[in-house]
Structures are given as C-alpha cells and as structure tokens.
Amino acid sequence: MKRLIAVLCFLALLFSFSGCAQKKAEYTEHQKLIKNEISFSDDILRFDLNEAGLEDVFIKDKIVTRVLVGEDLLAEVYLIADDRYGGNMSTSDHYLMLVIDDKIILHDLALGESVSRIGGNIEAQDFDGDGYKEILVQENADMFGGFGQYISRVFKYVDGKLEPTFSSRTDDGQLFDTGFSCTVLEDYNLKIQNKYTGYEEVFNYRDVRKTWHGEEGCTFFGTELLVDSFYRFESVDMDEDGVYEIIGYQYTSLDGHSDYVGSAKTVLKYDKEKSEFVVKDAEFIRCES
C-alpha cells in the first residue's frame, strides 16, 4: 500500500511539472502496454531537480489538494527527501517544495548541525488569520531518549520564499519553552505548573514509583521537570473560526529519560500583535505506568 501511494504521488508530481517542460509540437501515438506486470524498483519513484542542485530525490509526503498560499497563488506542497545515507527511502535529508504555476519554490529543512531525519509529514492550514495557508512540518530527527527527538516548524510563503514563523528548536539546539515546571512534594506527589497560563495541578505517583525524592533509601535526586521536543504536533481549529491553533505533546521526566512522568500538552496560537506563536492553553497528562 505504501508503495502504491508513493507511485501515485510520483505521478501527481509529474503532472504538476508538465507546465514547466517543453512539450512536443506534434501529436504522438498512444503508447500500448507491452506487459501488464513488471518488477517494482524504488528507482522509478525518483527524480532530479538539477537546476536546484538536487539529484535522485523522492516524495516523502504531499498535501493532496492545492492550497492557497497568497493572493491568487495556488500551490502543490511536497516534502521531498534525499536518502543519501544508504538508500531504501529511510534516513534522509528533507526539503520543502511548492509548485506554483511554472515555478518550483524550495527550502532546505536542515537546522544548524541537524540534517538527517528518519521521518516527516506536512499539513497546511491558516494559522495567522490572513486567509492564506501556512505549512506545518513535523520531522523525527532521531529515536534516542523518551519518545524520540523531533523538529516542529511552520512556514509561510512570502515574496517567493518559504519563511519560518515558528520553530520548536533553534539552530544551536535550544527548545521552544512551553512554560512547564514542577515541584516535587512529599508522599509521591508532583505539582505541575505552567508559567504562561497559570495552570497548576498535583499528581500522585505512588502506584508507579517504588521510591521518591526525600524518602529513605531513595537514589533518585531529580527535582526539575525535563521537557522534550514535540512528539506530536498537529493543527486543530479549537473555536471553529477557520483560524487554526496547534496542539503539541512533549515527553517529560525527572531523571534523564529513564522515568517518564507524563506528557505536557500545549495549545499554541498565533498572536498578531506579537507576530509569533504563544502558549494559549496548557495541561499535563500523567503517565499510567
């Protein structure tokens, strides 16, 4: 099924590029099938964008319908990939691509020294309320620690370029602060707070922890809530006004990644006055085991 989807995406890409290619001036004969069944190879799903310096790339994900990214500008949106680490369409470098009429707009999704990705997906929604859609990109950078490490971004088409309006990580690796912290209390209680929303709730972990900070014989000393990147990052129209918010979930722990205590859930909303995404709502989901 995945291969079939990839084939269909590739065919759609070829159709989208038809306006860019020089067409033959004369009619040609209908091409008759020589065989009804042929061997499959990943090579048939690959293409080159030589003018941009990209060779042997393939489609990782695409948005099914064209999206309005500017005044009278409808774009086909693709996440394309270069599996230069050994092939087989696995670990790859990613690029975001828009096809608008006879132009292709490209953006390299490398971030600082973080280049390779083991997965990625895209979606398009209007996040800033201007009537045009931005592109949400969620990428899995690796699977080390917790639920893995991710890079979550939003891009906007501006004057022929794709510009980021949100990034969960800076070039030097600093994560976007969603405002969560904790206070370790007695009797296996953990108070979770969020400085942006005023959220505060106490959770008990007696049924899932054998020892607790301050208890006799405890070798656990972490008292700071460690918050990872967004392992889920997806759009939702909370108030059904056509302008979308983003819900993100983050793995949290107290002692490295060895003791998952729950997920920090954040709602991000674009603030027009600040021209940036801000934390609109927050809550904590306690681990069950």
Side-chain angles (χ1 to χ4, degrees):
M1 180 58 73
K2 289 183 178 179
R3 284 183 172 176
L4 177 59
I5 293 173
V7 172
L8 294 175
C9 289
F10 178 71
L11 294 176
L13 181 67
L14 291 181
F15 286 134
S16 71
F17 290 165
S18 61
C20 306
Q22 184 68 35
K23 293 182 179 297
K24 295 180 180 179
E26 72 280 357
Y27 286 96
T28 58
E29 295 294 328
H30 172 70
Q31 300 183 77
K32 295 182 180 180
L33 288 174
I34 300 174
K35 293 182 179 181
N36 291 318
E37 180 180 324
I38 61 175
S39 59
F40 179 84
S41 169
D42 288 342
D43 291 338
I44 69 174
L45 305 178
R46 298 174 182 273
F47 57 95
D48 299 331
L49 297 172
N50 293 319
E51 189 177 348
L54 297 180
E55 297 180 354
D56 199 29
V57 294
F58 63 95
I59 298 172
K60 191 78 170 185
D61 193 19
K62 82 178 290 281
I63 294 173
V64 176
T65 59
R66 293 194 297 171
V67 300
L68 188 68
V69 296
E71 187 174 359
D72 299 324
L73 292 176
L74 286 171
E76 296 181 50
V77 186
Y78 300 86
L79 180 65
I80 61 175
D82 174 18
D83 53 349
R84 65 185 179 91
Y85 304 93
N88 299 319
M89 295 184 174
S90 55
T91 301
S92 305
D93 296 351
H94 286 171
Y95 305 85
L96 188 58
M97 181 174 75
L98 304 187
V99 180
I100 304 175
D101 296 327
D102 60 348
K103 294 182 179 180
I104 295 175
I105 310 298
L106 291 158
H107 184 86
D108 189 341
L109 290 173
L111 188 62
E113 296 182 356
S114 178
V115 179
S116 64
R117 310 285 187 262
I118 62 175
N121 61 273
I122 55 176
E123 59 175 300
Q125 300 294 353
D126 180 8
F127 295 109
D128 61 12
D130 66 354
Y132 307 129
K133 291 189 176 182
E134 291 76 49
I135 314 302
L136 182 154
V137 182
Q138 172 73 342
E139 300 175 286
N140 187 344
D142 64 58
M143 286 306 296
F144 296 106
F147 293 162
Q149 305 306 312
Y150 299 79
I151 299 174
S152 311
R153 285 176 280 183
V154 177
F155 289 90
K156 186 175 184 65
Y157 177 79
V158 180
D159 297 329
K161 297 181 179 180
L162 284 161
E163 297 185 353
T165 60
F166 176 84
S167 179
S168 65
R169 187 183 300 184
T170 61
D171 284 341
D172 61 1
Q174 296 298 310
L175 293 181
F176 178 82
D177 180 16
T178 51
F180 284 93
S181 63
C182 76
T183 304
V184 179
L185 306 174
E186 296 180 352
D187 198 26
Y188 295 80
N189 287 313
L190 184 68
K191 181 166 69 173
I192 302 292
Q193 303 132 319
N194 188 281
K195 64 182 180 182
Y196 296 123
T197 67
Y199 172 83
E200 183 175 293
E201 191 168 356
V202 175
F203 299 87
N204 187 269
Y205 288 84
R206 180 173 290 277
D207 60 331
V208 296
R209 291 295 300 269
K210 294 181 179 179
T211 58
W212 195 245
H213 178 75
E215 300 288 328
E216 184 177 354
C218 177
T219 58
F220 169 73
F221 297 103
T223 58
E224 178 183 354
L225 187 69
L226 305 177
V227 184
D228 274 11
S229 53
F230 294 109
Y231 66 84
R232 282 178 58 188
F233 193 74
E234 52 204 26
S235 65
V236 60
D237 188 358
M238 302 285 291
D239 43 15
E240 300 183 349
D241 62 353
V243 180
Y244 280 71
E245 292 76 37
I246 298 173
I247 292 183
Y249 294 83
Q250 298 165 281
Y251 179 100
T252 72
S253 58
L254 293 174
D255 186 20
H257 288 109
S258 62
D259 66 327
Y260 173 58
V261 292
S263 292
K265 177 182 176 182
T266 304
V267 176
L268 298 174
K269 187 174 181 64
Y270 189 80
D271 187 314
K272 290 184 178 181
E273 293 184 359
K274 296 181 179 179
S275 297
E276 63 183 18
F277 282 87
V278 299
V279 176
K280 182 69 175 178
D281 197 10
E283 67 173 299
F284 191 78
I285 304 170
R286 175 190 177 278
C287 68
E288 295 301 322
S289 59

